[in-house]
């Protein structure tokens, strides 16, 4: 039951972060995290990439137009914004992850998985940087990995664990 | 079809932002945006609030424990972190939205709706601050509102519109 009639159609469609190098970030979010690229939009001096997990939607079988339409009709989409040139600008300081000053505000995105240990062992093998491994600190059931721009990605079980 | 077998169980579970005053933010995200509060977790000197849209889950009929379990099993959850004291700290400078320097990186979350004009007319009536009204600029089919901490929320149609 939706909270209010006026908001019954509302969905938390996507979260947008800026990335320095789309080649590096797309490889990370598809091959390591496992999302599919649904749409690429060239906007002049910047390009937008929309990704999401395929849970039966079968994006690979869709036409480009169908995928573009599909990205509006679901939750859990990640939008990557690439401002052209950052990837080869050696003076570019990089983007703020949101978790240190100045710029604290945004925290992280989170990926739920069946098995946190197994997922993290694979991330380790793939050379992913960790902010917190499952065995670090008190919270053994969660981990934080870093994406190529240093944004935090929480890795947690898809079942409540105490 | 999932991108890789190892990531078949992965979901983009949640996005976390810090908020200054949970009373103000919870009112905004439930009454204005239309999300339900699924879970509140007291963590000592900070508290976490997990919200999501109810699209048939019927959270209101669930026990507290069932709602807590349910928040791990879906996408599109918003996590609000409240570091105790910010709401009454007059020297607190506020959180970075991610969209200006220093601290640029995070961009926005996005809500899809059936009717952008209608949704924005209601936001206007409710006194919501706009970053961009539908009629501002070239992109007439989208708007950006601001949440109580100044984070950008894109409002767009749930159908592809050209």
């Amino acid at each position: 039951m939706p909270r209010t009639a006026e908001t019954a159609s509302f969905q938390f469609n996507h979260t947008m972060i800026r990335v320095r190098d789309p080649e590096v970030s797309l490889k990370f979010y598809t091959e390591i995290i496992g999302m599919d690229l649904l749409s690429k939009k060239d906007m002049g001096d910047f390009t937008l990439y929309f990704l999401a997990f395929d849970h039966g939607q079968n994006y690979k079988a869709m036409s480009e137009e169908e995928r573009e339409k599909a990205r509006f009709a679901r939750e859990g989409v990640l939008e990557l914004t690439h401002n052209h040139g950052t990837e080869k600008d050696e003076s570019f300081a990089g983007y703020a992850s949101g978790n240190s000053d100045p710029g604290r505000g945004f925290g992280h995105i989170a990926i739920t998985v069946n098995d946190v240990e197994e997922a993290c062992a694979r991330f380790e093998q793939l050379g992913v940087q960790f902010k917190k491994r499952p065995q670090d600190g008190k919270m053994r059931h969660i981990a934080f990995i870093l994406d190529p721009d240093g944004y935090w990605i929480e890795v947690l079980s898809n079942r409540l664990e105490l």
Side-chain angles (χ1 to χ4, degrees), chain A residues 43-63:
Chain A
M43 309 290 285
D45 51 1
F46 65 101
T47 303
L48 307 176
Y49 299 89
F50 294 90
L51 298 106
F53 288 109
D54 188 331
H55 295 126
Q57 288 89 348
N58 206 5
Y59 293 123
K60 287 204 179 8
M62 288 184 190
S63 68

Side-chain angles (χ1 to χ4, degrees), chain A residues 65-124:
Chain A
E65 196 187 340
E66 285 171 325
R67 272 200 304 276
E68 171 67 7
K69 206 169 160 182
R71 78 169 168 91
F72 294 95
R74 62 167 291 168
E75 300 195 310
V77 173
L78 181 66
E79 175 181 8
L80 305 180
T81 295
H82 172 227
N83 292 304
H84 299 166
T86 50
E87 74 285 8
K88 51 195 175 199
D89 177 0
E90 285 178 22
S91 69
F92 180 71
Y95 287 119
S97 76
N99 294 302
S100 56
D101 290 314
R104 192 185 296 265
F106 174 62
H108 59 264
I109 66 172
I111 308 293
T112 46
V113 305
N114 269 349
D115 187 317
V116 173
E117 293 282 341
E118 201 174 277
C120 287
R122 179 173 161 273
F123 291 144
E124 194 90 59

Side-chain angles (χ1 to χ4, degrees), chain A residues 53 108-112 144 152-156:
Chain A
F53 288 109
H108 59 264
I109 66 172
I111 308 293
T112 46
F144 281 93
W152 295 17
I153 302 177
E154 182 177 351
V155 181
L156 75 163

